[in-house]
Amino acid sequence: MTGESCGLFEYGHRACGGCAAAMAARTILDAAGKDTIIVSATGCMEVFSTPYPDTAWKVPWIHSLFENNSAVASGIVASLKKQGRKEKVIALGGDGATFDIGILCLSGAFERGHDFVYICYDNEAYMNTGIQRSGATPYDASTTTSPAGKCSMGNRRPKKDLPMILAAHGAPYVATASVAYLPDLKKKVEKALATEGPCYLQVHAPCCTGWGFEGEKTMAIGKLAIETGLWVNYEMEDGKVTRVKKVVRKPVEVYLKEQRRFRHLFKPKPNETEIAKIQAVADRNAERFGIDIKLKK
Amino acid sequence: MMEFMEGSHAVAHSVKHCRPEVIAAYPITPQTHIVEALAEMVANCHLDAEYITVESEFSALSACLGASAAGSRVYSATTSQGLALMFEVCFNCAGMRMPVVMSIVNRALGAPLSIWNDQQDSISLRDSGWLQFYAEDNQEAADLHYLAYKVAEDRNVLLPAFVCFDGFILSHTYEPVDMLTQEQVDSYLPKYTPVQRLDSADPISFGLFASPEYYMEFRYQIDQAVKGAAKTIASAGREFGEMFGRDYGDLVESYRLEDADCAIVAMGSICGTVKDAIDEMRKDNKKVGLLRLRSFRPFPHKEVRAALSGVNCVAVLDKNVSLGTKGAVALEVRDALYGQQVPVLDYIIALGGRDVRKKDIRAVVDMAGQGKGDLFYGLRQELVS
Amino acid sequence: MALGLGCSAKPGRAKENRTGSWRTFRPEFLHEKCTKCGLCSLVCPEGCIGEDAEGQPVPDYDYCKGCGLCAEECPSQAIEMKKEEK
C-alpha cells in the first residue's frame, strides 16, 4: 500500500516510535474530519509534523508561535464567522504551551467565548527542548530542570489543575482523556466540536523518551496512570463533573516504577515517605472524583 | 469633503472606509480614541466587522494574523509598550507574509515610563519586515491607511505595514481633513482576495519550520519583497494622486532643497515645524531645506542620495536613539550617502514628548553649520552633569 | 522548486519521508492468530497499518518505525517483533 494516503494525518512524520502525541493527532483528525482548521503551538507535535516542506497535515493547518495558538484561533474563528464559513477550529498545544506560556491567550479566548476547541496533549514536561519541567509536571518527577539529586526529590510542586481553571471561565465542556483509551478520546473530541463555545480537552500523552519507558508501553503506561488514580478521565458540563471513568485502584508504585523519571524514588530502596505523598495525590483524586469501584466481598 | 477632525477620528474613519473584516485591538494611550471610535461604528452597524476585544496587544496581533490567514482584511492599532509586546508576532506576520495594516500612534518606550511622543517604538521594529510609513499631518495619517492596504495586499508585496503618526501631536489634535467618501475609497482599494488562505477545500499548511537548507532563502525573499515594495508604493501613490489630488508616489518629500546648503532630514509631525523654521531662515538668506522621509521601510536609499548629494551638510533629527550608537535615521542616511563627502550630523531630539519649536530647528542648523552634532539636542545639562 | 509563500506547504508531503529506515525490530503479522479486531491499526502512531481484502492487517514497512505498540497491544498475540535484517 505504499504511496496511498492514510487518513488526514500523513505518515512520514518524525515523531519518536510509540509517540502518544502522534496517536492523539491521528485520533483528533479522525474525529474532526476534513472541515477542520488546526492551529498548532510550537512544540513536539508541530516540529515532528512540519519540517518544511514535509507537512503531515492534510487539513488546513497553521503554526505561528509557541504561546499564541488560542489568540490565532480567535482571529480565525472571527474571520470564518464574518465570511459565513462553517469549518471547525481546533487549537492544539503541548502542556508547556497550554499550562505555562500560552495561558494568557488561552484565558482571554475562553473568557471571550469564541467557538473553538482547545486540545492539550499533556506529556507533563517540555519534551521538544529536552524534558524540562512545566506547570503540568507531576510531583517528584525528575526532569532536566527539576532533576532528582542528593538534596532534590525531583519536581517540588503538584500538577496545575488547568481543567478546573478553564471550567471556571464558564467553558461549556471541559474533559480529560488519554491515548490509552482512543475511542473515548475520539468521542470527547466529537462532543467538544458539537458543543458551542470554547471547549477544553486535556489528553494524557505518556512520552517514552521523556518519561523513560519503551515505546511499545505507551498505552500500558497511560492505563496505569488511570488505574492508580494519578490521572482521572472525566467530563465537565457547565462547570459540573458529569462523567468519570471508575477503576479498581492499584497502588501508585505500579505506575511509578515503570518510568525512569521516578526511578530515584526506588533507589537504593523505596522511599516510603515520598511514595506516600504521591499516593495521597491519587487518594485525593479518588475522593474528589469518586473513581473507586467498590468490589463486592 | 473637508471636515474638522481629531487625528484619531480621521484615522478611524479612513480605516472604516477600508472595510476591515476583523479588528483586534487592546487599549493603550494615545491609541484609544481610534479603537473606541471603531468600536462605536461596529456597535451602531456603521462598520460590518468582527471586533475582538483581546486581553493584550500580543493577542491583538496574533488574532489579526489568524484572521488574515483565514482570508480576511484585518486591522489593529497600538503604540509603545503595546508594540514592544507584539515584537515576536511582528516578525511572524512579516515572515508568514500576512498583509496586516496597523496604526502606530508613536510614543516613547519605557523605562522610564512615558506616554508622550517620540518614534522609538516603530523604529525599534525596523528589522521586522513591516513596511513603515510616517505621516506629517492628519490628512496624511488618514490617507496613508488607504495606501498601506493597497501596497500590503499587492501580490508582489504581501507584507504587513505600519502607518505611523505622532502620539498626541497628531492623534489628539484637531485639523481640517479632506475625508474621502466610501465610493471613492472603494474605487481605489479593491476587495481583498488572499493569494492563499486556510481553507478545507485546499488544505495548505502555514508556518512550517525551516531547516538551514531553507531558512536563508525565506529571509531573502522577505527582504526582496520589502525592497521591491518601493515600486508598488510609487504606482499606488501616483494612482492615489491622480484620483484624489494628493500624490504619495514618492517615498520622500523635498522642501526647498533645490539650492540648499544645509539639509534637514526628519520624519513625522516635526516636519511641519521644520518647514516653518525653514521659511523664516530663508527670509534671513539661510539656504536650508528639508528632506522628509515618508517611508522608512523600504528605506529610500536612492532618493536620499539623489536629494542630498549636492548639499554641504546634513542635519538629521532623530526622535529615537539606538542606544550605544546613534539615531536610526542618521545611520541610514549616512549609509545612503557613503562616499559622498557630505557630513551627516545627528541630533537626538524630542524624546519622550519634549517640545520642539522653530527656534530649536534654527539652533540645530546653526550647530550643523559649525560642524557640531551627533548629540542629544536640548539636554538639561544641570541634570546630567 | 519555488518556495511556498511564507513557509507554507501543500498538504501531506511528509509521505516523502520514509521512516521505515528507522526500524530495528519488525512486526510480523501472524494471520492464523489474528481476529481482525483492528486494534493494531487504531493504535499505530504512524497510521501505517492497513488491511487486505480479507480484513487482515497489512503494515506499510516503508513507514513502520518498529515501535512495537501493535504487538504489545494485540489481544491475540498475533504480532511478533523480530530483529530487522538489512
Side-chain angles (χ1 to χ4, degrees), chain A residues 193-241:
Chain A
L193 285 168
T195 306
E196 207 182 314
C199 298
Y200 178 69
L201 204 51
Q202 187 167 301
V203 185
H204 206 215
C207 170
C208 53
T209 309
W211 298 7
F213 60 83
E214 292 300 323
E216 74 219 35
K217 299 283 187 196
T218 297
M219 303 201 59
I221 294 285
K223 282 197 183 99
L224 283 174
I226 287 175
E227 287 164 359
T228 53
L230 285 172
W231 182 273
V232 181
N233 267 359
Y234 62 90
E235 292 180 280
M236 291 179 80
E237 285 162 74
D238 297 320
K240 291 205 178 70
V241 177

Side-chain angles (χ1 to χ4, degrees), chain A residues 2 12-13 15 26 52 55 217, chain C residues 4 13-14 17 44 62 65 72:
Chain A
T2 304
H13 60 71
R26 283 190 60 211
Y52 182 84
T55 178
K217 299 283 187 196
Chain C
R13 259 210 46 166
N17 182 46
C44 173
D62 281 346
K65 294 170 185 166
E72 179 74 17

